Structures are given as C-alpha cells and as structure tokens.
Amino acid sequence: MPNETYQKIMEILDEQRMKEVESAMVAKRFMKRTLNPIKLIGLKRTYDMFMYHANGIGWAMGHVRKEFEP
C-alpha cells in the first residue's frame, strides 16, 4: 500500500494538472469569442501551452505511479 507522502504528491500533481486544464479551457472560451486574428493566434498558443503542461504533469504522475506502486 502506498504511503502518505506518495498520496500527497499524487494529490498535488493532480490538482496542478486540473488547474492547467481549467486555464486551457478559459483560453479556448476566449478563442471562440474573439474575432481579432492576432489575439486568436496568441490564445491558440496559450491553449496549446496549458494542454502541453497538463499532459506533461500526467506523464510525471505515470512515472511516479510506476516507481511507487507495485
């Protein structure tokens, strides 16, 4: 059974991953509302950045899980 520290680490990583996804969804919502092509490009980059961060945190969680779970 994983210890308490492992559980805390996984909770923190999951919380951060969800914050990144929420930020990406805000950027996507703004993308739908704007007609300015320059802002649209910037918001698309922001959306992609937050989604890449969320995926990276997910991968880190997977590696931590492999290391600590039997």
Side-chain angles (χ1 to χ4, degrees), residues 12 21 24 26 40 47 50-51 53 56-57 68:
I12 291 169
V21 171
V26 169
L40 187 64
Y47 171 79
F50 282 124
M51 288 307 290
H53 288 173
I57 293 171
F68 286 101

Side-chain angles (χ1 to χ4, degrees), residues 9-61:
I9 290 171
M10 294 306 281
E11 287 174 12
I12 291 169
L13 286 173
D14 189 49
E15 181 180 327
Q16 292 301 315
R17 184 173 56 108
M18 292 312 296
K19 286 181 182 179
E20 294 284 343
V21 171
E22 288 173 13
S23 298
M25 292 302 113
V26 169
K28 190 171 188 175
R29 196 171 341 130
F30 284 138
M31 280 172 48
K32 289 181 180 179
R33 291 175 53 187
T34 188
L35 298 176
N36 185 339
I38 303 301
K39 281 187 180 180
L40 187 64
I41 291 168
L43 288 168
K44 174 66 173 145
R45 285 183 179 171
T46 302
Y47 171 79
D48 289 341
M49 177 190 66
F50 282 124
M51 288 307 290
Y52 292 149
H53 288 173
N55 287 334
I57 293 171
W59 292 334
M61 288 174 69

